[in-house]
Amino acid sequence: STMEERYILAVFFYSTTGEQWSNRNGWLTSRSHCLWYGISCDPNGRTRAIKENRNNLMGTIPVEITSLSSLAIFKVYDNRLRGSIPGDIYSMPKIAFLDFEVNTFEGRIFVDEIYNASSTLEVFRASDTLLTGYIPDSISQMTKLRQLWIANAALSGSIPDTITSLTDLNDLILYNSSLTGSIPSDMGLLHRLEHVDLSDNQLQGKIPETMGALTKLEKLIVHNNSLNGSIPESIRYLTSLTEIFADNNYLRGPIPTGIANIENLRIVSLRNNTFSGTIPAFSSTVLEFIDLSRNELTSSIPEIIFDSDALEIVYLSNNTLTGTIPKNILNATKLRDLWIEGNLLTGSIPDPDEDDLLSITEVLLYSNRLSGSVPGGLCNLRVTSEAFVSLHADCSPRLGLDEPNNFCAEGCCTACFEGKAHP
C-alpha cells in the first residue's frame, strides 16, 4: 500500500541521515512519495526507482527497503554509506539496476543471495567500496547482466572463464582490482561488448585472438598488467574501436598493420612495451592521440598520421626510428605535443609559416641525428605563442666539437642536448 511504501521510505531516510542530505525536496511531506527527490514510481504509484547519487547519504541501507516489491532501480553512487548491503535486495522481484559505487560498504561482493536476481539484474556496479572477495564461476548464472563494474576493488583470484557466457554484456569494468591469471580465451563470445577495462591488475598471458570477433568493441583498456605475446592480427576486425590502451605490459612483435585501417580510432596508447618493426600507417581521420614511445620500433614516421585533422598528441620517443620528420606535420593544426626524441631521425627540422602549428606547446627533438639549425619559424612561434613552452633540441656541441647538431638562436630552445653522432 501507499502507506507502507511511505513508511519504508521514511525508514530509509532516517537510516541514511536524511536531515543532512544535500537535496531532500518533498521527503516526509504530505505530497505523494512519487514526488520526493530521487523517487520515481510506476503507473500504479509503486516505488520503481530510488536515485540518490551524490546526495550526502550517511549511515546504512535498512533491510526494510527490500520490501518495495516494484523497485527496479537503486542508485546510491558516491555517498558515505557503510555497513553491509542487505542480501534480500537481490530477492526483490523486479530489481534490474544496482549502483553501490563510491561508498564504504563492507562484506563480500558476491553473496550467495545475488543469484536470486539472476533473471532480472542487468546492471551491477560495485566499484570503489570496501567489499571484497573474488568473481565466482557461478557468475555465469547472471545471464541478464549488461554492465559489470567492479573497479578499485580488493578482489582476489582471476577472471573466470565462465564469464564468457554473459552474452548480453556491454561493459566489463574491472580495473585496479588485484586480478591475476589471464584474460579468458573465449572473450570473443561476448559479442555485445563495447567497453572492456582490465587495466592496473596483475594479468598475464596473451590478448586472446578471439577478441577479433568483438565488432561492437569501442574501448579496449588493458594497460599496467603483465600481458605478453603480440597483439593478435584479428584486431583488424574491431571496426568500432575508438580507444586502445595497452601501455606498460610485456607485449612484443610487430604492431599489426590492420589496426591502421580502423577508421574511428581516436586514441592509440602502446607505450613501454617491446614492439618492434614498423609504425602502422594509421589512416583514421579522427586520430587525436598516439603514444608508441619506449618500444623498439625501427621504421620511419608515416606521413599519413599527420593528415588527421584531430591530431593533438604524438609521442614516439625512445625507439630506433629512422628517416626524416614528415613535412606535413606543419598541416596538423591542432597538434599540441610532438615528442620524437631518443631516435635516429635525420634530415632537417620542418620550418613552420606564421599560421602553422598554432596549437603547439611542446616539441622535443633531442637525442637524434637531425641536421641544420632549429628553423626561424619555430623560434618565431616561441615568441608569438605563450602556449609554446618547451622546445628541446641537440643544440649543445658534443665533446671535442665546436658546432652542435642543431644550432638554436638565443632564447629559442628551452633545453639543449648533445645529440647523437652522424654515422
Side-chain angles (χ1 to χ4, degrees), residues 391-402:
L391 175 54
H392 297 184
D394 291 330
C395 38
S396 292
R398 283 194 311 286
L399 199 63
L401 296 178
D402 296 336

Side-chain angles (χ1 to χ4, degrees), residues 181-185 187 203-209 211 222 226-232 251-252:
S182 57
I183 300 173
S185 59
M187 282 288 276
L203 298 173
Q204 297 176 324
K206 296 181 165 52
I207 297 174
E209 183 78 39
M211 289 187 80
V222 293
S226 298
L227 299 172
N228 59 45
S230 53
I231 295 181
L251 298 168
R252 59 179 191 272

Side-chain angles (χ1 to χ4, degrees), residues 222-241:
V222 293
H223 58 260
N224 299 348
N225 280 291
S226 298
L227 299 172
N228 59 45
S230 53
I231 295 181
E233 288 286 345
S234 62
I235 197 166
R236 68 174 61 232
Y237 302 118
L238 302 185
T239 48
S240 304
L241 197 67

